[in-house]
Amino acid sequence: MSLADRVRHPAFLQRVMSAEAAAALIPSGANVGMSGFTGAGYPKAVPQAIATRARAEHAAGKPYKINVWTGASTAPELDGALAAADALGQRLPFNTDPTCRAKINAGEINFIDMHLSHVAQHAWFGFLGPMQVAVIEVLGVTADGLLIPSTAVGNNKTWLEVTDQVILEVNTKTSARMEGMHDIYYGTAIPPRRVPINLTHADDRIGQPYLQVDPAKVIAVVETHQGDRDNVFATPDENSNQIASHIIDFLAHEMKVGRLPKEMLPIQSGVGNVANAVLAGLLHGPFENLLGFTEVLQDGMLDLLRAGKMGKASATAISLSRSAYEDFEKNIDFYRERIILRPQEISNHPELVRRLGIIAMNSMIEADIYGNINSTHLMGTGMMNGIGGSGDFARNGYLSFFVTPSVAKHGAISCIVPMVSHVDHTEHDTQIIVTEQGLADLRGLSPRQRAQVIIDRCAHPDFRPQLQDYFDRARQQGPQHTPHILGEALSWHERFVKTGNMRPA
């Protein structure tokens, strides 16, 4: 399909240019909104052209950096290319690219880690400053000038509204038959003009299939013909399967005792191998007529839709392995009736998460014995990826699980520690912690009760005696609401930094 077939609005065809020409329109120091959410729907050509321009400017002794705002993570063609070219001054709100991560942790890129539900409204409030340019991937333009969204909606609606100028990247590789899959809600407003969002079921449609843009803002249209990043999901290992089994057994028990309705509440699942293992477990579990209300549709949720175990799934992006994407394109008419892609200010909206009663499952780096969660920082100072949407769902979900294997680095690190080295989710937001060792239900427990349950059920046997000794000695001194030995609370992390192992010599 040619570009003229995809861009059916004549005025936009007059603005077609190369990626290099479009990149030349973006000044150094600009705040640039780009599409993209978890390796889907990101611009491919323009960011690489910006990286080439940055190298040329640097070689000529001129500064060139831009500040990039997205929906979430993107891919090597965007974050990796810009980071490698020293073209990133600031980045928000989430990143998984290793080159970009290294420069963030070296202090060369200013990274702002944000709850994903906050990004659009903070841009609207003006908290982040003005946006000069937005670079948005779309699948096409209708004759009326409406934009057909791509594989991720993310913050695109907001970027198109708040930016001064727009560069459209039209991807002619991704199937145009996705048209109609999206639900773009235009009823949001800023205080004091906000009204309730009329979404009462996870599969409601409350918007329109297209993004809107002021044609006067569009300064360039660039064609690209390249697919999204291929996600690689490992076959679930024994630990992942154990974690999934604990969660499924728990959900079945909650349903049996009447704390969950027989028609399961909507499911949110974070990104990664453990999350996919849980979804695989649900595929073979006792639950029927499931609904998804999440950020990213991964392979596991597609499997549930295809098997008829899940009726519909709502998200803001589709991020798949190559084989799963091939199935998606082959059966796109089937999936278009069952998948709804929304802006992330809707997919992650705390009001909707609470109203719909979402069952949330998210990964963590470590938990402490009182239930505080570190989702983002390695040894307290090194950024891994970011908080993402985990806080949006953890604080507001009906049930909230945080999951991790009990150890990392071949057993050198315990993922259950006396005190987390960085706090993303406090004990007040943590309901259930799961490792391959077991499940700790923390609802209705005091801090000291939580500690014993976490040690008994979630800690690895190699570290359990060490944790128990710490807890026992902490209960012999100081106030006893949340017992700690402050001089030792972070000694496990300090030991790892010095020796490469949390175990005592």
Side-chain angles (χ1 to χ4, degrees), residues 105-180:
N105 287 327
E108 298 173 22
I109 295 172
N110 292 315
F111 180 63
I112 303 174
D113 182 22
M114 296 179 65
H115 294 293
L116 297 187
S117 67
H118 286 178
V119 184
Q121 68 171 10
H122 282 199
W124 262 116
F125 296 164
F127 293 174
L128 305 176
M131 179 183 291
Q132 283 76 37
V133 184
V135 185
I136 308 295
E137 179 180 277
V138 297
L139 301 187
V141 183
T142 71
D144 297 327
L146 298 172
L147 308 180
I148 303 169
S150 185
T151 48
V153 179
N155 286 318
N156 295 353
K157 167 190 167 289
T158 299
W159 293 172
L160 291 166
E161 289 172 323
V162 303
T163 191
D164 296 332
Q165 297 179 317
V166 175
I167 296 171
L168 297 177
E169 236 191 59
V170 181
N171 193 332
T172 56
K173 182 175 178 63
T174 302
S175 176
R177 290 191 297 152
M178 284 188 68
E179 184 174 354

Side-chain angles (χ1 to χ4, degrees), residues 123 189 199 259 265 289 312 382 476:
L199 194 153
R259 287 191 289 261
L265 294 171
N289 303 315
K312 290 189 178 180
Q476 302 304 313

Side-chain angles (χ1 to χ4, degrees), residues 188-453:
T188 55
I190 62 175
R193 295 183 295 279
R194 279 185 169 165
V195 296
I197 298 170
N198 189 28
L199 194 153
T200 56
H201 297 89
D203 56 348
D204 285 348
R205 285 183 173 271
I206 58 173
Q208 62 183 53
Y210 304 105
L211 290 162
Q212 300 172 8
V213 65
D214 178 354
K217 290 185 177 183
V218 179
I219 59 172
V221 176
V222 175
E223 181 179 7
T224 187
H225 190 78
Q226 183 178 338
D228 286 333
R229 178 188 77 191
D230 289 329
N231 282 314
V232 179
F233 300 111
T235 301
D237 59 15
E238 184 177 349
N239 284 344
S240 299
N241 287 331
Q242 283 290 335
I243 291 170
S245 177
H246 295 320
I247 292 175
I248 290 162
D249 288 347
F250 178 84
L251 293 174
H253 177 264
E254 290 294 290
M255 193 173 287
K256 182 178 180 180
V257 300
R259 287 191 289 261
L260 269 180
K262 290 185 178 179
E263 290 290 328
M264 177 70 79
L265 294 171
I267 293 167
Q268 176 263 339
S269 177
V271 176
N273 293 322
V274 173
N276 254 325
V278 173
L279 295 174
L282 290 171
L283 183 64
H284 304 292
F287 313 111
E288 303 291 338
N289 303 315
L290 298 170
L291 287 172
F293 192 87
T294 190
E295 303 159 294
V296 183
L297 265 66
Q298 298 185 99
D299 292 21
M301 214 163 264
L302 242 61
D303 293 339
L304 289 167
L305 289 167
R306 190 168 54 250
K309 297 280 280 189
M310 179 172 282
K312 290 189 178 180
S314 167
T316 195
I318 299 176
S319 190
L320 305 170
S321 67
R322 178 170 294 184
S323 61
Y325 187 77
E326 289 171 355
D327 170 72
F328 172 77
E329 281 212 323
K330 181 180 178 182
N331 298 291
I332 198 163
D333 293 335
F334 171 86
Y335 289 119
R336 190 172 54 246
E337 298 301 313
R338 292 162 177 82
I339 291 173
I340 305 168
L341 296 182
R342 314 180 189 273
Q344 73 189 66
E345 62 184 312
I346 300 298
S347 68
N348 289 59
H349 200 295
E351 176 196 354
L352 301 179
V353 172
R354 181 167 290 192
R355 179 188 303 153
L356 297 174
I358 303 301
I359 297 173
M361 295 176 281
N362 289 285
S363 61
M364 62 182 178
I365 291 173
E366 62 182 1
D368 67 27
I369 58 175
Y370 296 111
N372 298 293
I373 304 294
N374 172 15
S375 295
T376 59
H377 283 67
L378 300 176
M379 295 298 133
T381 60
M383 172 55 64
M384 185 60 184
N385 300 320
I387 196 169
S390 56
D392 301 328
F393 290 93
R395 175 165 286 190
N396 301 289
Y398 183 87
L399 286 174
S400 176
F401 299 86
F402 280 107
V403 303
T404 182
S406 62
V407 293
K409 293 287 184 185
H410 308 290
I413 292 176
S414 174
C415 297
I416 307 296
V417 293
M419 180 184 283
V420 288
S421 57
H422 175 88
V423 181
D424 291 295
H425 314 280
T426 73
E427 60 185 275
H428 311 291
D429 300 332
T430 307
Q431 291 184 328
I432 303 154
I433 293 175
V434 194
T435 72
E436 82 287 355
Q437 299 297 320
L439 180 148
D441 181 359
L442 308 180
R443 295 173 299 174
L445 301 183
S446 71
R448 285 183 299 156
Q449 290 172 318
R450 287 188 218 125
Q452 196 60 63
V453 170

